[in-house]
């Protein structure tokens, strides 16, 4: 408040604001000034029901003022409410401290009592502001408790002829955190939200906010495009191995700083296993790891347990059934805001394991192994016809991360009140890997992700885990999960129904019964918003060996030991 007063008088030189701030300061200190005269103490003579009535009046006045637009109709309304509230809180604070003196039979100097009363007033006022903020979030249909939202600020500015500063919005370069925008139906004003569903009722078309961009003055401006490699480094292999190792270790260590308990998703694959191993070495105490698998044919569970035992982790296995998968499907589509086949498949397992963590532990942060595939290559990128094509595909995958793997990781984790942290998405690490010569990075070693594997040779992981073939998360949870989803979709539609219903859609037309099922679920929650997703995630069909009609690596000729 003092800072605001100085700013208004000496910087902005706004007379009206200066007077309001001075009045607020005076009223906040009024009771302390009044209590200099002990014989004037009268608050303890006021019946408690009157004090309660004043407090209730203040409460109703604040929300009633928001509901009836009094904050805008009467500019001083907000000032009066806060001033009266401050005075009442000070009254109460003084009485509490006097009672404490009597209870403990301790005499405290008057200035200390006054200072303590003001402290209680300040604490109560701060708590009230927090309550108003929470109220704004959970009950927007009733009306904002204060004029904090952009729309209400614009309304107030228009009524009082005040110009608002430029609105600037931005998104991180990788798109790890979600962000959407659209233009309102009535007045075509841009709106932003962290979830697409928040804009459904207000915007005609909703689109993802492009990662690595900021919005200002009506334009989206790119400030960091990770998919575009500004230079290709000439490091030799030994230097590359060293840099990959040191940069990934630094990325993991950076993400271990938290004021909440941390857990780890461990599939037993190369990427998540490395993250867990590095973290265990840094923390030097057992970390908590979690793996999930089907009750019939889990693939990941045995590898995850092997890694957990090797690094000394406190490991938990989550077992799911066909019924769990089918039951979770509608909720997964809703929280993701996508109809993409492989994203939905992989999200079911991740959603269910995160749901278990939320309901059965006190963990609030999870580290995962996402983004490694986009940087080092998938199974299908073994078919890249040239280094140039390999690099082009890597750039495409990195630029579209926010629609697929990163979307999955963030939504499945965040919807369960957990925070996702992705070491492979570290800007320094990702930028370096993207700058490695593609002819060195692509699979010419008869082993995908050779650079990453070789960088951590030694005692980080058991050798069989370090060399384990890539298996998609949706497949490694158990082949039966995808088979169950396909069977469920096939039972939903006859061939005739499928042929007819798929013709409803012109953009990203469903091409299997499974994709039709996902699209219809998507349209239930996000009707007409299919262009939020660029297209189905699929291997590059222009490459020989990748002309398939399913995103799973199981249909590729080089799947090999991935399913063992």
């Amino acid at each position: 408040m003092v800072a605001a007063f100085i700013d208004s008088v000496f910087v902005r030189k706004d007379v009206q604001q200066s007077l309001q701030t001075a009045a607020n300061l005076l009223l906040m200190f009024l009771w302390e000034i009044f209590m200099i005269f002990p014989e004037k103490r009268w608050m303890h003579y006021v019946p408690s029901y009157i004090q309660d009535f004043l407090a209730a009046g203040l409460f109703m006045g604040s929300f009633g003022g928001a509901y009836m637009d009094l904050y805008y109709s009467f500019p001083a309304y907000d000032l009066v409410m806060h001033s009266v509230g401050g005075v009442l809180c000070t009254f109460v604070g003084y009485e509490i401290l006097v009672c404490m003196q009597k209870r403990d039979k301790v005499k405290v100097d008057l200035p200390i009592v006054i200072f303590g009363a003001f402290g209680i007033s300040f604490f109560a006022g701060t708590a009230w502001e927090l309550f108003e903020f929470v109220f704004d979030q959970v009950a927007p249909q009733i009306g904002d408790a204060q004029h904090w939202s952009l729309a209400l600020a614009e309304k107030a500015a228009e009524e009082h002829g005040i110009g608002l500063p430029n609105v600037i919005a931005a998104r991180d370069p990788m798109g790890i955190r979600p962000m959407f925008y659209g233009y309102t139906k009535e007045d075509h004003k841009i709106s932003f939200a962290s979830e697409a569903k928040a804009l459904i009722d207000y915007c005609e078309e909703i689109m993802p906010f492009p990662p690595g961009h900021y919005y200002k003055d009506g334009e989206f401006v790119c400030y960091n495009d990770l998919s575009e490699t500004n230079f290709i480094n000439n490091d030799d292999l030994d230097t590359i191995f060293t840099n990959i190792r040191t940069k990934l270790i630094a990325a993991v260590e950076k993400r271990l700083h938290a004021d909440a308990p941390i857990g780890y998703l461990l599939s037993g694959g190369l990427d998540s296993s490395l993250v867990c191993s590095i973290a265990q070495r840094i923390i030097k105490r057992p970390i908590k790891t979690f793996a999930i698998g089907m009750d019939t044919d889990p693939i990941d569970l045995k590898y995850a347990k092997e890694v957990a035992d090797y690094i000394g982790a406190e490991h938990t296995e989550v077992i799911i059934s066909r019924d769990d998968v089918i039951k979770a499907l509608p909720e997964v589509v809703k929280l993701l805001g996508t109809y993409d086949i492989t994203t939905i498949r992989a999200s079911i397992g991740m959603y269910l394991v995160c749901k278990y963590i939320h309901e059965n532990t006190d963990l609030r942060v999870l580290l995962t192994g996402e983004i490694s595939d986009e940087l080092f290559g998938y199974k299908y990128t073994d078919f890249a016809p040239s280094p140039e094509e390999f690099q082009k595909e890597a750039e495409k995958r990195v630029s579209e991360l926010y629609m697929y793997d990163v979307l999955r990781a963030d939504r499945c984790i965040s919807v369960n009140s957990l925070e996702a942290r992705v070491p492979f998405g570290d800007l320094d690490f990702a930028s370096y890997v993207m700058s490695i010569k593609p002819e060195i990075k692509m699979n010419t070693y008869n082993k995908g992700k050779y650079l990453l594997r070789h960088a951590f040779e030694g005692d980080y992981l058991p050798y069989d885990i370090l060399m384990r073939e890539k298996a998609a998360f949706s497949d490694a949870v158990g082949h039966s999960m995808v088979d169950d989803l396909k069977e469920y979709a096939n039972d939903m539609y006859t061939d005739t129904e499928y042929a007819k219903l798929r013709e409803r859609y012109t953009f990203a037309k469903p091409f299997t019964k499974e994709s039709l099922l996902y699209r219809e679920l998507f349209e239930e929650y996000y009707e007409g918003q299919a262009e939020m997703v660029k297209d189905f995630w699929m291997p590059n069909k222009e490459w020989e060996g990748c002309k398939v009609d399913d995103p799973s690596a199981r249909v590729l000729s080089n799947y090999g030991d991935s399913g063992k």
Side-chain angles (χ1 to χ4, degrees):
M1 186 179 296
V2 174
F5 179 70
I6 295 173
D7 178 66
S8 63
V9 174
F10 298 104
V11 180
R12 303 179 189 275
K13 298 182 180 179
D14 185 332
V15 176
Q16 181 179 1
Q17 183 180 351
S18 301
L19 291 175
Q20 288 184 347
T21 306
N24 207 345
L25 280 167
L26 178 63
L27 287 171
M28 289 295 287
F29 283 99
L30 183 61
W31 183 242
E32 282 85 346
I33 296 172
F34 185 71
M35 288 309 300
I36 292 176
F37 307 100
E39 67 274 16
K40 298 294 184 181
R41 284 177 51 220
W42 51 267
M43 190 62 186
H44 60 283
Y45 294 116
V46 178
S48 60
Y49 68 85
I50 293 181
Q51 297 183 41
D52 293 340
F53 178 80
L54 291 174
L58 178 67
F59 182 89
M60 297 303 296
S62 179
F63 287 102
Y67 187 75
M68 295 184 292
D69 260 4
L70 295 179
Y71 285 100
Y72 314 116
S73 303
F74 302 94
Y77 191 87
D78 183 53
L79 171 66
V80 171
M81 295 304 297
H82 279 80
S83 299
V84 172
V87 172
L88 285 178
C89 287
T90 307
F91 287 171
V92 174
Y94 181 83
E95 296 302 314
I96 290 174
L97 291 170
V98 169
C99 290
M100 290 173 65
Q101 287 186 69
K102 291 180 178 178
R103 181 198 66 187
D104 298 331
K105 299 179 180 179
V106 175
K107 178 67 175 177
V108 181
D109 293 338
L110 182 61
I112 296 177
V113 175
I114 293 173
F115 185 81
F118 178 74
I120 292 176
S121 172
F122 179 80
F123 175 82
T126 303
W128 176 257
E129 293 290 345
L130 290 173
F131 179 78
E132 288 179 331
F133 176 77
V134 173
F135 180 87
D136 287 351
Q137 309 308 307
V138 301
Q141 68 274 14
I142 300 176
D144 286 346
Q146 289 291 350
H147 44 279
W148 293 340
S149 72
L150 177 60
L152 293 174
E154 288 179 339
K155 177 180 177 182
E158 289 172 359
E159 290 183 1
H160 297 286
I162 302 171
L164 286 177
N166 290 329
V167 174
I168 300 177
R171 191 177 184 186
D172 67 275
M174 194 71 74
I176 289 178
R177 301 299 298 168
M179 191 172 183
F180 297 86
Y181 75 94
Y183 294 89
T184 54
K185 298 175 182 178
E186 295 182 357
D187 49 12
H188 200 67
K189 291 185 177 180
I190 195 165
S191 302
F192 304 100
S194 59
E195 293 187 69
K197 63 185 179 183
L199 301 175
I200 286 292
D201 294 333
Y202 307 103
C203 301
E204 291 285 357
E205 182 181 12
I206 303 167
M207 296 298 291
F209 194 109
H213 287 68
Y214 66 86
Y215 172 88
K216 182 181 180 183
D217 297 332
E219 295 182 355
F220 288 93
V221 181
C222 180
Y223 69 89
N224 188 349
D225 187 350
L226 284 176
S227 66
E228 288 189 4
T229 305
N230 296 323
F231 71 98
I232 299 296
N233 72 61
N234 293 311
D235 293 345
D236 58 45
L237 277 176
D238 287 340
T239 302
I240 289 173
F241 296 145
T242 299
N243 285 337
I244 287 175
R245 182 171 59 254
T246 56
K247 289 178 182 295
L248 184 58
I249 291 173
V252 173
E253 185 172 16
K254 184 189 303 181
R255 285 157 181 80
L256 296 179
H257 299 289
D259 55 2
I262 301 177
Y264 303 80
L265 297 184
L266 175 60
S267 68
L270 174 66
D271 310 324
S272 63
S273 298
L274 281 176
V275 170
C276 292
S277 176
I278 294 168
Q280 180 70 68
R281 285 173 169 242
I282 295 171
I283 295 177
K284 294 182 174 61
R285 65 176 182 273
I287 62 173
K288 294 183 178 181
T289 57
F290 298 84
I292 189 167
M294 294 293 290
D295 56 0
T296 53
D297 60 343
I299 298 173
D300 274 346
L301 291 184
K302 61 179 179 288
Y303 295 112
K305 187 177 187 306
E306 180 183 353
V307 174
D309 290 344
Y310 182 82
I311 64 176
E314 183 181 328
H315 189 59
T316 301
E317 292 183 348
V318 180
I319 309 299
I320 56 175
S321 65
R322 181 184 189 276
D323 290 342
D324 295 324
V325 171
I326 302 305
K327 182 180 178 181
L329 179 58
E331 180 63 23
V332 167
V333 174
K334 180 181 179 181
L335 68 92
L336 288 174
T338 189
Y339 47 84
D340 178 62
I341 300 169
T342 191
T343 304
I344 293 172
R345 288 175 179 175
S347 294
I348 292 175
M350 180 170 266
Y351 167 74
L352 290 173
V353 71
C354 293
K355 185 172 185 288
Y356 174 90
I357 294 170
H358 171 66
E359 294 175 349
N360 295 277
T361 75
D362 63 347
L363 301 176
R364 291 296 175 264
V365 178
L366 288 179
L367 266 65
T368 76
E370 268 70 34
I371 304 180
S372 174
D373 296 332
E374 286 75 11
L375 297 174
F376 291 98
Y378 285 87
K379 289 293 289 185
Y380 82 87
T381 55
D382 288 356
F383 295 101
S386 67
E388 292 75 23
E389 283 294 305
F390 181 92
Q391 183 71 9
K392 182 179 177 182
E393 191 71 8
E395 292 173 356
K396 177 179 185 292
R397 289 305 176 200
V398 170
S399 68
E400 296 177 354
L401 263 169
Y402 67 99
M403 289 187 286
Y404 304 112
D405 279 20
V406 162
L407 173 73
R408 164 174 58 85
D410 176 82
R411 292 293 81 199
C412 292
I413 294 175
S414 297
V415 77
N416 286 295
S417 303
L418 302 166
E419 176 191 341
R421 295 187 180 180
V422 190
F424 282 99
D426 183 80
L427 297 185
D428 182 48
F429 179 81
S431 297
Y432 180 76
V433 175
M434 288 297 291
S435 73
I436 297 173
K437 291 179 179 179
E439 55 266 33
I440 296 177
K441 195 163 47 174
M442 66 187 297
N443 186 7
T444 59
Y445 314 92
N446 198 32
K447 180 65 70 174
K449 297 185 179 178
Y450 173 79
L451 300 183
L452 180 61
R453 299 177 195 275
H454 191 79
F456 284 92
E457 283 185 341
D459 59 353
Y460 279 90
L461 292 172
Y463 186 76
D464 64 312
I465 298 295
L466 191 67
M467 295 298 162
R468 183 189 171 192
E469 289 290 342
K470 163 68 183 173
F473 181 63
S474 55
D475 293 326
V477 167
H479 287 173
S480 62
M481 189 187 80
V482 172
D483 295 340
D484 289 340
L485 288 168
K486 288 182 176 181
E487 181 183 356
Y488 179 70
N490 286 332
D491 292 341
M492 289 284 291
Y493 311 101
T494 65
D495 292 344
T496 302
E497 289 172 334
Y498 163 70
K500 179 181 179 181
L501 291 173
R502 70 186 293 268
E503 293 302 322
R504 293 179 178 178
Y505 310 107
T506 55
F507 181 84
K509 180 177 290 189
F511 56 94
T512 64
K513 291 181 181 179
E514 182 188 10
S515 63
L516 176 61
L517 171 61
Y518 299 161
R519 182 60 175 273
E520 292 202 318
L521 287 171
F522 173 86
E523 294 292 337
E524 285 184 23
Y525 304 111
Y526 305 94
E527 184 178 0
Q529 303 296 336
E531 294 189 27
M532 287 196 306
V533 184
K534 188 175 182 179
D535 201 352
F536 294 105
W537 189 104
M538 294 289 286
N540 191 332
K541 293 186 177 183
E542 295 180 1
W543 295 352
E544 193 66 35
C546 296
K547 297 176 182 179
V548 294
D549 60 358
D550 192 290
S552 172
R554 289 165 63 184
V555 301
L556 297 175
S557 60
N558 66 339
Y559 188 58
D561 292 339
S562 296
K564 295 182 180 179

